[in-house]
Amino acid sequence: MWGSLIGKAKEGGIDVIQTYVFWNLHEPEKGQYDFSGRADIVRFIKEIQAHGLYASLRIGPFIEAEWNYGGLPFWLHDVPGIVYRCDNEPFKVHMQNFTTKIVNMMKSENLYASQGGPIILSQIENEYGMVEHAFHEKGPPYVRWAAQMAVALQTGVPWMMCKQYDAPDPVINTCNGMKCGVSFPGPNSPNKPWLWTENWTTWYRAYGKEPETRSAQDIAFQVALFVARNGTFVNYYMYHGGTNFGRTTSAFTTTSYYDDAPLDEYGFIRLPKWGHLKQLHEAIKSCSNPILFGTQFTLSLGQQQMGYIYQRNSGECAAFLVNQDDTKSVAVIFHNSSYELGPSSVSILPDCKNVVFNTAKARSGNGNHEKVNFTLDNTITLNNGSNNISLLSVTVGLPDSGAFLERKALGLRSVRIHDIQNSKDLSNHRWGYQ
């Protein structure tokens, strides 16, 4: 399924595919490695490269990930004197051995960006800041050792540590969570980029716990705000979750993993999440030149409203107009024009004039029992000459009750095409239903 999933991610505007490296999958017994079949990580990275995308390799090798034993192979348990994830020599020896093996595999296949390959980032450890205090004096030296060990492997690309605010230079500290657009204070050094390693697209299911979900609008709001605030990398966790087969899932975690992600458990596109984020990515990329080559400045537009503007010396300009009020819409004045900002929303203006995307407006054609009529607005591309327009509906059933059923209708009522110069009504053209 790799090619299909990566292709759907690319179609959705994704540039980088991020993956963990599963130590207990690759070294199920001490010194006996498995990189075959679905464990063929080199083939997976090359599949990413074949699609013209980049890769982010989260080696860990502790990964958590709601994965059995956090990805640690169980044979570690029998190593004499071992204490996991701290300044403990037996653990550090085995962690370094595995990390070095993975890095050398990638180097041998020229897969790092420094070698012309797709891997632009690597990660060492995982959310260690959440447990570091439990190891007392054994915690901080382990962080420093892990960073030095990773950098010494000389991959030619940056290393990162997620949820590790004091990540030692040159390792980059990154954010995990749902609200990094608001909560992340930024990198701990001015020469490091803003990275969001895990933008949780929903919440994983656990036995005995009510299901939780997250709207496409909220995800888009946080991403747009993060980019507006200097964010350079956002990874969706998960973009595709899939299924934990066999005994790979951790305690009390269901086998269905992140089934409300943009690509669902079976790899099918989930709307409106996938489509809304695709439009967000297109809007952000339309601002690329000012973001990459311009200067950022901020503008207060109200008590909870802010403008983030990127401007080049040439005058080229892009703006992100933010309303952090989650209760009401607010009209703001920007460049002598008025803009209506919905609650908890970001409007993206690639030319500092026209809004091409608003995070709160997820497109859908979604009538229901109570409100059967609805309008679908969509942008289409037409060819010179004849064009066929097809509209797919999930249901075309006739009503099942009510008076005067003989007068009831279903389906399309009107179709109108607008371009810059005119509008054309196609309602009375011949439409076929099947």
Side-chain angles (χ1 to χ4, degrees):
M1 296 175 68
W2 292 348
S4 170
L5 293 168
I6 293 168
K8 289 174 183 175
K10 182 177 181 179
E11 187 184 352
I14 297 298
D15 303 302
V16 183
I17 302 294
Q18 180 164 276
T19 182
Y20 278 126
V21 180
F22 300 86
W23 189 358
N24 56 8
L25 186 69
H26 296 304
E27 193 179 3
E29 295 184 43
K30 183 179 176 181
Q32 297 184 23
Y33 297 98
D34 182 7
F35 295 99
S36 63
R38 73 188 189 104
D40 190 346
I41 191 167
V42 166
R43 181 181 170 190
F44 181 71
I45 300 297
K46 287 183 175 180
E47 185 75 39
I48 294 170
Q49 186 177 28
H51 280 79
L53 302 182
Y54 297 103
S56 172
L57 194 64
R58 302 178 73 187
I59 297 176
F62 172 83
I63 59 172
E64 190 174 335
E66 294 71 60
W67 187 260
N68 195 30
Y69 221 35
L72 300 178
F74 194 71
W75 55 260
L76 276 179
H77 180 269
D78 297 324
V79 173
I82 197 165
V83 180
Y84 303 156
R85 303 178 70 204
C86 71
D87 190 21
N88 171 269
E89 287 304 317
F91 180 74
K92 291 194 296 183
V93 165
H94 291 290
M95 173 175 168
Q96 183 169 5
N97 286 345
F98 182 74
T99 303
T100 302
K101 182 170 186 66
I102 296 300
V103 167
N104 286 342
M105 283 179 63
M106 299 301 129
K107 280 184 176 180
S108 68
E109 298 287 340
N110 296 317
L111 292 178
Y112 284 104
S114 57
Q115 304 172 295
I119 303 173
I120 59 171
L121 280 169
S122 295
Q123 179 179 299
I124 195 71
E125 250 298 336
N126 189 72
E127 295 187 341
Y128 189 70
M130 298 178 66
V131 299
E132 183 177 351
H133 64 280
F135 295 101
H136 304 293
E137 73 280 358
K138 294 283 190 179
Y142 169 69
V143 173
R144 294 190 294 271
W145 170 84
Q148 291 165 1
M149 180 268 290
V151 172
L153 293 173
Q154 298 184 335
T155 63
V157 302
W159 287 87
M160 57 186 177
M161 284 182 167
C162 61
K163 280 195 174 182
Q164 188 69 44
Y165 181 71
D166 60 349
D169 290 343
V171 177
I172 304 162
N173 61 298
T174 76
C175 188
N176 287 2
M178 289 187 177
K179 299 187 180 298
C180 292
V182 174
S183 63
F184 187 49
N188 60 21
S189 175
N191 63 336
K192 298 179 183 180
W194 290 50
L195 307 183
W196 187 352
T197 342
E198 294 185 13
N199 180 6
W200 303 332
T201 55
T202 181
W203 192 248
Y204 66 88
R205 300 286 174 91
Y207 291 109
K209 192 175 181 182
E210 288 295 317
E212 298 179 46
T213 188
R214 187 181 179 199
S215 71
Q217 294 92 326
D218 182 57
I219 299 172
F221 171 69
Q222 292 291 335
V223 171
L225 184 54
F226 188 78
V227 172
R229 294 179 61 214
N230 278 325
T232 56
F233 175 92
V234 179
N235 176 79
Y236 297 107
Y237 190 97
M238 303 285 288
Y239 196 79
H240 165 66
T243 307
N244 284 312
F245 294 105
R247 295 186 178 183
T248 53
T249 186
S250 63
F252 292 101
T253 305
T254 65
T255 55
S256 296
Y257 193 60
Y258 276 83
D259 49 349
D260 193 34
L263 299 179
D264 72 9
E265 179 182 1
Y266 307 102
F268 296 129
I269 288 172
R270 179 179 285 274
L271 297 174
K273 198 167 278 187
W274 182 90
H276 192 54
L277 295 178
K278 175 184 168 122
Q279 291 162 17
L280 168 68
H281 304 149
E282 291 171 350
I284 290 174
K285 288 173 185 178
S286 69
C287 304
S288 291
N289 283 338
I291 289 176
L292 292 172
F293 307 112
T295 302
Q296 187 221 50
F297 62 93
T298 59
L299 182 67
S300 176
L301 300 172
Q303 287 187 336
Q304 293 183 276
Q305 295 74 42
M306 180 72 71
Y308 294 86
I309 298 94
Y310 291 85
Q311 187 150 5
R312 301 184 68 180
N313 292 334
S314 63
E316 191 177 6
C317 175
F320 296 77
L321 306 184
V322 180
N323 179 17
Q324 293 201 52
D325 190 324
D326 59 4
T327 61
K328 63 178 184 286
S329 297
V330 177
V332 300
I333 301 297
F334 175 69
H335 282 193
N336 298 319
S337 296
S338 179
Y339 297 89
E340 187 78 15
L341 305 182
S344 294
S345 72
V346 179
S347 288
I348 300 177
L349 293 69
D351 57 0
C352 283
K353 294 179 183 177
N354 299 296
V355 177
V356 298
F357 182 83
N358 181 274
T359 60
K361 296 178 180 177
R363 290 182 184 174
S364 55
N366 54 348
N368 54 54
H369 267 265
E370 289 70 39
K371 185 181 178 183
V372 296
N373 294 326
F374 63 92
T375 300
L376 171 68
D377 291 315
N378 209 359
T379 302
I380 62 172
T381 301
L382 298 176
N383 301 314
N384 288 328
S386 298
N387 292 267
N388 292 319
I389 299 173
S390 301
L391 297 166
L392 175 66
S393 174
V394 73
T395 176
V396 289
L398 287 161
D400 62 349
S401 64
F404 306 112
L405 276 175
E406 70 279 359
R407 302 181 191 174
K408 303 291 185 182
L410 81 157
L412 218 53
R413 296 298 182 90
S414 67
V415 177
R416 188 175 292 272
I417 292 183
H418 305 268
D419 62 20
I420 296 173
Q421 291 156 337
N422 54 47
S423 174
K424 186 173 182 65
D425 190 343
L426 305 180
S427 305
N428 293 325
H429 285 222
R430 292 185 61 189
W431 292 90
Y433 289 88
Q434 60 181 24

